[in-house]
Amino acid sequence: MRVLHYSQHVLGVGHFFRSLALAQALEGHEVVMVSGGSPVDVALPGHVTHRLLPPLMMDADFQGFIPEENDPEAEKARLARIEEERRAALLDILEETRPDVFVVELFPFGRKRFAFELVPALERFRAMGRGPAVCSVRDILVEKSNQAKFEKRVLGWMNGLFDGLMIHSDPELVRFEETFPRLAEIDAEVGYTGYVVSEPVPGAGAALRAELSIAPKEPFVVASAGGGAVGGDLVASAVAASVRLSAALPHRLDAFTGPFAEDTALEALCSLSIPAGESDPAGHIHCARFTDRFPAYLDAADLSVSMAGYNTTMALLAARTFGLVLPFDQNREQRMRADRLQERGALAVLETADLEPDRLAGLMDEALRRSHERGPVDHGIRLDGAAQSAHFLERLTNSFKGRS
């Protein structure tokens, strides 16, 4: 197959990396990934080509695009220009690639602001008659101010423009109907795939520990903020907590600010690793902006301290590493998933009050001792979503061609 896969990240990098994991599972096919957020520096497998639309990102409240002009009229003109450039570029890519299947991540269950380019592209693809259009969506939708209006709009687009719906969830943990009650009214073929995650390469964690000179029984903690647009306070608290904890429980901490964090964030983070009364950073703390080996880091770790985004949470489950996670409370999605995983003993949910360094140091100490006593986390969650998504696309595309 030739697969065109559209994915738009607007705040963090989770959507991009979930789409990349799915693209990687389509080895043996030709995949063109189209993204429209800030560029992410990551190596791609040989069968994947990346096409970048003029970037658009949104603020933490999802209220506006950034950067934003001070003059409202100038901002309106800027966005109109970018939208036209993106719409034309996406249609050009569609005509160039002439894909056998068009995968769209999240829309129409989200990314309504991008209907200006997606609806024309989906209509053009349908007119081509080459193959199915498939929506790729995570397990939990964010709440809407007018749910009835939202559901009506989604059903209109789904039933008019799509042939398939891949739900990246384990229904034993979360059923899609819990946040989209009208699932049964969708005409497209619907399938649960399991969760999508880039699993660590067997032995990657042990190899990384050796590379970093971490002793076999030395506790290793990874603190991360995902993309870095939010979550900086959590990573800063983890570094401050690590300084306090090191005397009672020697360990190593690697902290990542995220690729979209402010330029000054890394320098500020490093300064927090300097113990009181000293001039040099604590030797057990290592700060960096980003790593493209994050699954290996989690596989190597005894504990993760992170935001509770879909990708980081699934990477934790894949590595079977215990995590302290802080849900992004702008919507229900992260907390709903994290609470259910906490009930299974797969992780522990942090509250804002837990970020006080002394309190977080205590929680980290407790979690590290738990990991030492119990070993890898046993959660029973389906994590084969990437492979099952590839099978879903192959089956649906073959069926479409058999009908045409």
Side-chain angles (χ1 to χ4, degrees), residues 117-135:
E117 63 191 10
L118 283 170
V119 169
L122 285 160
E123 289 175 341
R124 179 75 60 83
F125 181 66
R126 173 145 290 198
M128 288 179 176
R130 289 186 53 83
V134 180
C135 172

Side-chain angles (χ1 to χ4, degrees), residues 224-285:
S224 61
V230 295
D233 290 347
L234 171 64
V235 179
S237 296
V239 169
S242 178
V243 172
R244 288 159 171 77
L245 179 61
S246 60
L249 182 63
H251 63 281
R252 172 173 170 139
L253 172 77
D254 278 36
F256 299 98
T257 61
F260 301 151
E262 296 291 337
D263 292 338
T264 56
L266 184 57
E267 182 180 346
L269 193 64
C270 291
S271 69
L272 289 172
S273 68
I274 302 175
E278 299 187 21
S279 58
D280 296 323
H284 72 283
I285 297 176

Side-chain angles (χ1 to χ4, degrees), residues 61-78:
D61 295 325
F62 300 100
Q63 295 301 307
F65 292 111
I66 56 173
E68 187 174 299
E69 296 278 358
N70 292 325
D71 180 350
E73 288 302 315
E75 172 66 4
K76 184 177 179 180
R78 181 183 78 92

